[in-house]
Amino acid sequence: MKVLCETERLSIRQFELRDAPFIVRLLNDDLFIRYIGDKNVRTHEDAINYLKTGPMASYEKHGFGLNLVCLKETHTPIGMCGLLKRDELDNPDLGYAFLPEYSGKGYAREAAENTLKTVMKTCSLDTVVAVTLPDNFRSNKLLETIGFSFKETIELYGTQNNLYEFKSLGALC
């Protein structure tokens, strides 16, 4: 188990195949499907394939990827957060998703800030972007709160998205 970083309340680690049941639950949440998309992960086998070809392949290829976010005290999985490298974007982008019962408690901000800081430093990145739907008000606000700047609206996967950018000011390194 490779722990990326820890906060007072959270432990953020790389995904493992044993996380497949959580992946099925998270990726089928209504808000995940609405704001991120339907990944067609319905079964344990689908989740194993998603983990192998998504986060785990990204760790190998880029040195970063999506990570499991757990409550530190109980090890309860509550979401995921990490950087992705999409062919459609010039820079890695920050992605996150949390189960609805853990929304509004500051976990997404805590995970995003610490993941961003850690990965930018360890992978020597100076720019990270983020994309979110214009009507995903909570996500837009979170990105601005943690230091992302709105750049423009772009089309990605056939949908209009807000594109944000975060540049290292040296304080992260």
Side-chain angles (χ1 to χ4, degrees):
M1 172 171 67
K2 183 174 179 189
V3 175
L4 178 73
C5 58
E6 290 185 327
T7 70
E8 188 176 315
R9 303 185 300 166
L10 303 174
S11 178
I12 303 164
R13 68 163 171 82
Q14 289 185 345
F15 276 109
E16 298 174 349
L17 295 180
R18 67 184 169 108
D19 301 318
F22 174 75
I23 287 296
V24 171
R25 183 173 172 212
L26 181 65
L27 273 58
N28 285 288
D29 179 76
D30 291 340
L31 291 175
F32 186 98
I33 291 171
R34 178 178 174 196
Y35 289 123
I36 298 171
D38 188 349
K39 304 297 183 187
N40 293 308
V41 174
R42 304 289 185 259
T43 66
H44 184 81
E45 293 74 28
D46 292 341
I48 295 288
N49 185 56
Y50 171 86
L51 288 168
K52 285 181 176 177
T53 61
M56 292 175 169
S58 185
Y59 305 149
E60 291 296 315
K61 184 173 182 180
H62 303 292
F64 56 78
L66 290 169
N67 303 285
L68 182 70
V69 180
C70 295
L71 295 177
K72 195 172 182 178
E73 284 188 17
T74 62
H75 304 287
T76 303
I78 65 168
M80 66 178 170
C81 182
L83 297 187
L84 307 134
K85 181 59 189 103
R86 303 178 210 232
D87 293 338
E88 300 85 0
L89 299 171
D90 293 335
N91 295 295
D93 73 294
L94 177 69
Y96 47 85
F98 288 80
L99 292 172
E101 59 265 36
Y102 298 100
S103 293
K105 298 178 182 351
Y107 294 130
R109 177 182 178 172
E110 198 172 316
E113 281 180 322
N114 286 280
T115 299
L116 187 64
K117 176 182 174 181
T118 301
V119 176
M120 288 185 81
K121 182 177 180 182
T122 58
C123 295
S124 300
L125 300 173
D126 61 0
T127 304
V128 171
V129 298
V131 291
T132 188
L133 294 175
D135 70 342
N136 189 345
F137 302 113
R138 291 180 99 172
S139 202
N140 285 286
K141 181 171 175 37
L142 178 119
L143 292 170
E144 291 173 358
T145 299
I146 65 172
F148 279 80
S149 301
F150 176 78
K151 296 314 262 183
E152 62 183 319
T153 301
I154 62 166
E155 185 173 319
L156 188 63
Y157 311 125
T159 306
Q160 292 297 308
N161 283 270
N162 288 341
L163 175 69
Y164 289 86
E165 183 179 75
F166 183 94
K167 288 199 171 276
S168 172
L169 302 174
L172 295 175
C173 297

